[in-house]
């Protein structure tokens, strides 16, 4: 395969002469007489190599290093460069070939024009072998049932391209893959797992020349996003993380690729959470969800925790769902929701009226029900919640597509682009929202109303969901959501208010994604109306929760770790949290406080060392975690600090 | 204290003394190695290696050999008569920099500061 080379020189005769020589050597040459022309080619086209002159502005000015400055631009770092110049000095060579702090050189070689074409061709061949590394002999095969193509994949990443640019991007994408699988003989693409307009994910089986087959999950997309994804995974993933491992990366001008391996998983049987849900069997779904919640997410959440200075939880949620903090954003969200209200009329199942800060739903044969407008609620501070927001390391945005499940119901995460510190309820909110809004199917909108009533009724996250059993299609969803909430309550405490607020923000963010210019299917429009109904009912529930009080009654700890306040199970404890509460309860019965020494000796099982900073820190951390889980009323705490002595529990 | 190695031919005592004193001023310890007796030198022990191009028989091979032993070390070639081709081959062989070898404490300070500052910035 011929390589494509950008050749830049400000003297036309020189450009034509060297251009002809390179074409004679079998290369495709794109010529640029100016810096702007060269930059245009580098930005818009895909070239394997750039050959750049140094003095592009003034031939007589030894300070003119404009060509070198172009070579240094980070945007074009993925394209190797050779400097071709008439001006030979060791200072120029230093500027061109000395590595910077990151170990990167502006160019891969420095050739003097009077060294002649053979020297240049040698340097080009060397660059193709050492830096460009495109596996021209790679045999690329496609899934026969759901075949893909590079133009199709390129159009998923950059949907609005003209045909001629699309052809170029498809070629660039193919080179990216040939670069990533440089050491392989053959690869076979599986079916598309997910795409989000900027990236796509697909399984690839790669065969080496020795015949070994290496399964990979390939994520391709915008180069900077992929680089960011690598950094986030590197910085945030827990060391004990047993998930996808980065096995290789490659870059071109516009695209980047990350290849992940799934140790121990049979990639041919891996399916998305959506696929598994559509099979309809509850047991494997619950097993997979248990692995996701108890192993994968818990490892992430324990890996990093921080307390945000802000108390404005809703503002943090808005950032996560992509709603900007300004009036224009709110106005646009309002318009999108208004469009959904109009759309509902065409569905005929419900009449929706919106105005004066209220949304009213008229279901057939029922009295109208009104709720406060969800958009306004999302754009206002959550007055019922006034505590510093605890954030934990999160893999980002979990969806029904980017969570993969293998044959043994083990979970594999594939999307880390938005990994960050997120409000501690966020991952659970995403999971519930995926089940609630993207996976669940109901025959009619009235069924959604029953479903939503069931989901907004609990007083605590641990409460059982009162599924009336009317809609068989939704029973699995209810069971799975209950499973998610139980883990959320166990990790973040039983208070459902911040959790419901996250669901509300998720739903409004999803409604704001509806673009009136797009032609939606009836199912898509039904989902939009379901989002509006759910968001409205959640807002109604949040309003009720303002007036509600914390549960009353005695605090009990059962042998299975469940913590009860009156009739409500408020938390589930294991390990040291269980031991600590047991210790506090035992002393509370005798109306005694628990000293820090007792905690170290009884709970940690260690000898107490007065002034040991590590022990003090672990005690504080354990007390804090227990408070998060069992304190329901911040104004009336159960665990009291006995200054300089220890802690006392009010049962 | 960072360890700096200077590979030379023992012929330029004056420059070595200046380098030694300047390194000491920066809090760095300098060791010397004769270019003819590099076999026993453990290049892993150094953060910066300076090679006198004029005193070493095959400076490019020396750079390549050091780089193969230690991928992180900074290698600076100094030359009293710098030449663009030698600069190219030296840098392509894996050197971090190629500079003119000039007398005077300030000039040596520039070389050391440049390399050591970049080294610390780079975190190596």
């Amino acid at each position: 395969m011929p390589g494509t080379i950008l050749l830049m020189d400000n003297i036309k005769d020189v450009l034509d002469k060297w251009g002809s020589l390179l074409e004679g050597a079998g290369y495709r040459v794109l010529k640029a007489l100016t810096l702007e022309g060269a930059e245009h080619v580098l930005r818009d086209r895909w070239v394997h190599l750039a050959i750049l002159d140094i003095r592009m502005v003034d031939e007589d000015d030894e300070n003119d290093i404009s060509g070198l400055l172009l070579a240094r631009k980070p945007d074009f770092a993925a394209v190797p460069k050779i400097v071709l110049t008439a001006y030979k000095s060791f200072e120029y060579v230093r500027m061109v070939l000395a590595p910077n702090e990151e170990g990167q050189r502006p160019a891969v070689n420095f050739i003097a024009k009077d060294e002649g074409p053979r020297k240049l061709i040698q340097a080009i061949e060397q660059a193709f072998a050492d830096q460009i590394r495109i596996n021209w002999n790679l045999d690329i095969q496609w899934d026969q049932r759901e075949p893909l193509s590079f133009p199709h994949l390129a159009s998923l990443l950059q949907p609005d391209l003209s045909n001629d640019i699309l052809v170029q991007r498809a070629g660039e994408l193919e080179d990216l893959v040939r670069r990533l699988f440089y050491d392989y003989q053959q690869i076979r693409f599986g079916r598309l797992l997910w795409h989000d307009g900027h990236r796509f994910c697909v399984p690839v089986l790669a065969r080496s020349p020795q015949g070994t087959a290496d399964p990979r999950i390939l994520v391709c997309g915008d180069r900077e996003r992929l680089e960011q994804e690598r950094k986030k995974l590197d910085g945030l993933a827990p060391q004990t993380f047993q998930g996808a491992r980065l096995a290789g990366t490659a870059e071109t001008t516009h695209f980047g690729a990350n290849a992940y391996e799934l140790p121990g998983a049979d990639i041919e049987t891996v399916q998305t959470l959506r696929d598994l849900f559509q099979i309809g069997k509850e047991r494997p779904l619950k097993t997979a969800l248990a692995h996701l919640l108890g192993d994968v997410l818990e490892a992430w959440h324990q890996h990093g925790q921080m307390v945000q200075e802000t108390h404005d939880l809703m503002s943090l949620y808005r950032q996560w769902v992509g709603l900007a903090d300004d009036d224009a954003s709110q106005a646009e969200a309002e318009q999108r929701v208004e469009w959904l209200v109009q759309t509902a009329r065409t569905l005929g199942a419900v009449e929706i009226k919106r105005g004066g800060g209220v949304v009213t739903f008229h279901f057939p044969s029922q009295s109208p029900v009104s709720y406060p407008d969800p958009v306004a609620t999302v754009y206002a501070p959550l007055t019922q919640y006034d505590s510093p927001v605890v954030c934990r390391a999160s893999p980002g945005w979990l969806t029904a597509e980017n969570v993969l499940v293998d044959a043994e119901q083990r979970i594999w995460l594939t999307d880390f682009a938005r990994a960050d510190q997120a409000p501690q309820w966020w991952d659970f909110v995403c999971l519930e929202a995926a089940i609630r809004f993207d996976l669940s199917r109901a025959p009619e909108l009235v069924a959604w109303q029953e479903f939503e009533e069931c989901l907004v009724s609990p007083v605590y996250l641990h409460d059982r969901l009162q599924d009336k059993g009317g809609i068989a299609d939704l029973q699995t969803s209810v069971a799975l959501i209950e499973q998610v909430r139980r883990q959320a309550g166990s990790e973040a405490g039983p208070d459902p208010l911040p959790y419901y607020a996250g669901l509300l923000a998720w739903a409004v963010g999803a409604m704001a994604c509806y673009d009136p210019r797009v032609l939606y299917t009836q199912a898509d429009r039904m989902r939009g109306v379901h989002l509006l109904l759910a968001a409205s009912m959640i807002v109604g529930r949040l309003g009720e929760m303002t007036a509600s009080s914390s549960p009353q009654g005695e605090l009990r700890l059962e042998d299975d770790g469940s913590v009860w306040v009156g009739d409500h199970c408020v938390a589930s404890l294991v390990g040291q949290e269980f031991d600590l509460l047991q210790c506090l309860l035992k002393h509370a019965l005798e109306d005694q406080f628990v000293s820090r020494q007792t905690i170290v000796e009884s709970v940690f099982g260690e000898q107490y060392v007065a002034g040991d900073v590590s022990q003090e820190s672990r005690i504080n951390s354990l007390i804090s975690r227990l408070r998060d889980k069992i304190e329901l009323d911040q104004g009336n705490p159960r665990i009291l600090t006995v200054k300089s002595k220890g802690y006392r529990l009010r049962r | 204290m960072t360890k700096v190695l200077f590979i030379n031919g023992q012929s330029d005592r004056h420059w070595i003394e200046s380098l030694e004193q300047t390194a000491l001023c920066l809090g760095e310890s300098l060791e010397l190695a004769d270019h003819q007796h590099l076999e026993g030198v453990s290049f892993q022990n150094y953060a910066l290696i300076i090679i006198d191009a004029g005193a070493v028989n095959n400076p490019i091979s020396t750079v390549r050999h050091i780089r193969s032993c230690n991928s992180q070390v900074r290698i600076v070639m100094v030359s009293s008569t710098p030449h663009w081709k030698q600069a190219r081959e030296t840098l392509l062989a894996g050197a971090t920099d190629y500079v003119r070898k000039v007398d005077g404490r300030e000039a040596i300070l520039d070389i050391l500061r440049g390399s050591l500052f970049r080294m610390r910035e780079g975190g190596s």
Side-chain angles (χ1 to χ4, degrees):
Chain A
M1 287 288 286
T4 303
I5 295 174
L6 163 68
L7 179 64
M8 177 183 84
D9 201 297
N10 60 337
I11 300 170
K12 188 166 186 314
D13 289 347
V14 175
L15 191 65
D16 290 341
K17 180 189 134 194
W18 286 95
S20 301
L21 284 165
L22 294 178
E23 282 168 351
Y27 296 101
R28 256 185 91 218
V29 181
L30 303 176
K31 291 186 273 191
L33 253 177
T34 62
L35 286 163
E36 294 73 24
E39 187 157 347
H40 178 74
V41 169
L42 285 169
R43 202 168 291 285
D44 290 346
R45 306 285 294 267
W46 162 235
V47 294
H48 297 112
L49 178 74
I51 299 176
L52 307 176
D53 188 15
I54 294 183
R55 293 187 194 175
M56 285 297 290
V57 178
D58 183 351
E59 282 291 324
D60 300 322
D61 180 3
E62 63 179 22
N63 293 320
D64 176 11
I65 55 166
S66 48
L68 176 61
L69 295 179
L70 178 65
R72 282 180 179 164
K73 286 198 171 180
D75 284 1
F76 313 128
V79 178
K81 291 127 198 139
I82 291 175
V83 164
L84 179 66
T85 179
Y87 303 100
K88 302 171 288 188
S89 86
F90 88 92
E91 287 295 354
Y92 270 168
V93 174
R94 275 186 80 203
M95 284 190 271
V96 169
L97 295 179
N100 64 12
E101 286 75 19
E102 284 83 39
Q104 291 166 337
R105 300 182 159 102
V108 298
N109 216 327
F110 181 102
I111 305 294
K113 285 176 180 170
D114 62 10
E115 288 188 285
R118 179 172 293 185
K119 184 75 182 172
L120 179 63
I121 297 290
Q122 279 175 356
I124 293 171
E125 287 172 353
Q126 181 107 40
F128 267 91
D130 296 345
Q131 275 89 27
I132 300 165
R133 287 170 57 87
I134 289 179
N135 184 352
W136 303 113
N137 298 319
L138 182 70
D139 175 18
I140 300 174
Q141 298 184 0
W142 304 95
D143 185 272
Q144 288 175 350
R145 286 165 300 173
E146 296 180 49
L148 298 166
S149 67
F150 286 114
H152 176 203
L153 293 171
S155 71
L156 293 177
L157 302 180
Q158 298 184 345
D160 301 321
L161 297 175
S162 62
N163 280 347
D164 59 330
I165 300 287
L166 178 63
V167 170
Q168 289 172 37
R169 293 290 185 275
E172 181 176 346
L173 201 54
E174 182 173 343
D175 282 352
L176 179 79
V177 169
R178 291 183 182 278
R179 222 175 225 191
L180 185 65
F181 293 100
Y182 186 77
D183 297 321
Y184 290 87
Q185 192 170 50
Q186 189 180 45
I187 59 169
R188 181 190 175 87
F189 278 76
R191 68 191 178 94
L192 192 65
L193 293 173
W194 56 262
H195 68 95
D196 64 359
H198 303 287
R199 294 165 305 146
F200 65 78
C201 175
V202 63
V204 173
L205 192 62
R207 189 181 302 281
S208 72
Q210 294 75 35
T212 53
D214 292 331
R216 297 284 183 263
I217 292 291
L218 175 63
V219 178
C220 284
D222 174 75
R223 182 171 59 90
E224 285 171 7
R225 278 175 195 264
L226 268 287
E227 188 184 351
Q228 189 186 35
E229 185 162 339
R230 286 194 291 275
K231 284 181 182 162
K232 295 210 162 189
L233 185 61
D234 201 32
L236 279 166
Q239 284 170 353
T240 54
F241 181 44
Q242 296 294 310
R245 278 209 298 257
L246 194 62
T249 66
E251 286 187 345
T252 59
T253 303
H254 302 97
F255 302 129
N258 293 343
Y260 297 98
E261 61 176 321
L262 313 184
D266 176 4
I267 207 165
E268 291 183 42
T269 59
V270 164
Q271 57 189 332
T272 63
L273 194 59
R274 179 184 293 281
D275 294 332
L276 186 63
F277 192 90
Q278 282 171 348
I279 293 170
K281 291 184 180 166
E282 192 172 307
R283 186 182 289 268
L285 275 166
K286 290 187 111 173
T287 308
L289 203 53
H291 180 238
L292 173 58
L293 294 166
D295 297 328
V296 179
L297 289 182
E298 199 166 331
W300 275 81
H301 297 162
Q302 286 176 353
H303 180 54
Q305 176 177 316
M306 60 182 288
V307 179
Q308 292 279 350
E309 281 183 21
T310 178
H311 290 209
D312 191 348
L313 176 62
M314 202 55 107
S315 166
L316 287 174
Y317 278 141
R318 280 199 301 277
Q319 288 170 28
W320 270 92
V321 301
L323 297 172
D325 266 346
D326 56 40
D327 293 344
S329 160
Q330 182 170 354
E332 193 168 339
E334 299 273 3
Q335 282 177 4
R336 301 280 168 104
V337 172
E338 189 54 42
W339 177 80
L340 277 175
V341 169
Q342 306 303 324
T343 296
R345 291 194 181 131
T346 63
L347 296 171
V350 62
E351 189 184 339
I352 307 173
K353 285 186 179 162
R354 185 166 172 266
V358 171
V359 188
T360 305
F361 294 82
H362 294 256
F363 286 96
S365 322
Q366 288 186 22
S367 304
V369 202
S370 295
Y371 303 99
D373 193 295
V375 179
T377 308
V378 161
Y379 277 92
L382 190 64
T383 51
Q384 305 96 310
Y385 189 86
D386 187 24
S387 305
V389 179
V390 175
C391 289
R392 297 183 198 271
S394 158
W397 189 298
L398 303 174
T399 69
E401 280 75 28
N402 66 23
V403 175
L404 303 185
V405 187
D406 69 18
E408 294 168 22
Q409 281 85 52
R410 285 179 307 174
I411 291 291
W412 303 93
L413 304 183
T414 59
D415 184 359
F416 307 99
R418 298 192 59 187
D420 210 335
Q421 291 284 341
Q424 58 183 332
W425 307 272
W426 177 248
D427 290 330
F428 306 110
V429 164
C430 283
L431 270 177
E432 173 166 336
I435 297 165
R436 189 167 173 172
F437 302 119
D438 293 335
L439 295 176
S440 303
R441 289 283 169 264
E444 54 193 4
L445 206 54
V446 181
W448 288 128
Q449 191 189 19
E450 282 180 32
F451 181 58
E452 289 304 327
E453 272 172 7
C454 161
L455 297 181
V456 298
S457 60
V459 179
Y460 298 103
L461 280 176
H462 286 89
D463 286 353
R464 292 221 55 169
L465 294 172
Q466 300 301 314
D467 174 22
K468 290 173 187 161
I471 313 124
D473 295 343
L474 295 170
Q475 281 174 356
T476 300
S477 300
V478 170
L480 296 177
I481 288 172
E482 197 173 273
Q483 195 177 350
V484 172
R485 289 186 179 189
R486 202 171 297 131
Q487 181 72 18
S490 177
E491 280 191 30
D495 185 1
L497 188 128
Y499 185 85
Y500 288 168
L503 285 165
L504 172 65
W506 196 102
V508 172
M511 284 192 281
C513 291
Y514 274 82
D515 182 348
R517 293 167 300 180
V518 174
L519 186 61
Y520 290 104
T521 63
Q522 179 158 328
D524 290 334
R525 284 178 286 143
M526 183 72 97
R527 174 182 177 268
V529 176
H530 175 203
L531 284 164
L532 179 56
L533 175 67
S536 304
M537 292 174 76
I538 292 170
V539 173
R541 185 74 185 92
L542 288 175
E544 290 166 17
M545 290 170 77
T546 318
S548 72
S549 59
S550 298
Q552 302 296 315
E554 193 178 58
L555 186 141
R556 302 190 319 277
L557 175 64
E558 300 292 339
D559 290 343
D560 66 356
S562 56
V563 183
W564 293 77
V565 173
D567 296 336
H568 294 281
C569 175
V570 297
S572 176
L573 302 180
V574 290
Q576 290 179 343
E577 290 163 14
F578 177 89
D579 295 342
L580 176 59
L581 185 57
Q582 199 173 41
C583 181
L584 286 164
L585 272 166
K586 184 179 153 203
H587 284 73
L589 285 170
E590 296 159 8
D591 200 24
Q592 291 177 346
F593 72 88
V594 177
S595 69
R596 297 174 79 81
Q597 179 171 355
T598 305
I599 293 175
V600 169
E601 290 171 356
S602 307
V603 179
F604 296 160
E606 297 171 13
Q607 188 176 357
Y608 181 68
V609 181
D612 183 322
V613 179
S614 163
Q615 281 184 350
E616 295 296 321
S617 163
R618 284 158 57 211
I619 294 170
N620 294 341
S621 169
L622 184 59
I623 288 284
S624 170
R625 290 205 309 271
L626 187 61
R627 278 179 166 152
D628 277 350
K629 292 190 175 176
I630 68 164
E631 295 288 19
L632 306 172
D633 183 354
Q634 305 294 336
N636 193 17
R638 287 187 182 267
I639 301 174
L640 306 173
T641 303
V642 183
K643 201 171 177 187
S644 307
K645 291 183 176 172
Y647 301 92
R648 181 191 298 278
L649 181 78
R650 287 194 313 111
R651 296 176 65 218
Chain B
M1 190 178 263
T2 314
K3 284 173 85 175
V4 179
L5 178 70
F6 180 47
I7 300 173
N8 69 321
Q10 302 287 352
S11 57
D12 193 350
R13 285 308 311 167
H14 173 66
W15 205 80
I16 293 170
E17 279 166 18
S18 298
L19 180 62
E20 215 156 24
Q21 285 166 11
T22 314
L24 209 59
C25 288
L26 289 175
E28 320 293 349
S29 74
L30 180 74
E31 292 180 12
L32 302 177
D34 188 332
H35 71 105
Q36 290 180 320
H37 301 97
L38 293 178
E39 302 80 27
V41 178
S42 177
F43 296 111
Q44 301 287 354
N45 295 339
Y46 301 95
L48 170 64
I49 297 175
I50 302 171
I51 303 168
D52 186 344
V56 178
N57 286 340
N58 192 336
I60 312 298
S61 302
T62 306
V63 169
R64 214 168 271 137
H65 173 63
I66 296 169
R67 182 55 73 212
S68 69
C69 297
N70 184 346
S71 62
Q72 300 296 315
V73 66
R74 293 205 160 256
I75 305 170
V76 177
M77 179 88 76
V78 293
S79 171
S80 307
T81 53
H83 189 272
W84 73 272
K85 269 191 183 174
Q86 188 179 50
R88 176 175 71 185
E89 303 313 319
T90 301
L91 290 167
L92 288 178
T96 322
D97 209 348
Y98 179 95
V99 295
R100 185 188 294 277
K101 181 184 173 192
V102 279
D103 280 333
R105 207 173 138 210
E106 278 308 308
I108 294 172
L109 206 54
D110 279 351
I111 295 171
L112 286 176
R113 270 198 191 130
S115 294
L116 295 169
F117 174 74
R118 284 171 66 173
M119 184 170 72
R120 281 165 194 153
E121 287 280 291
S124 52

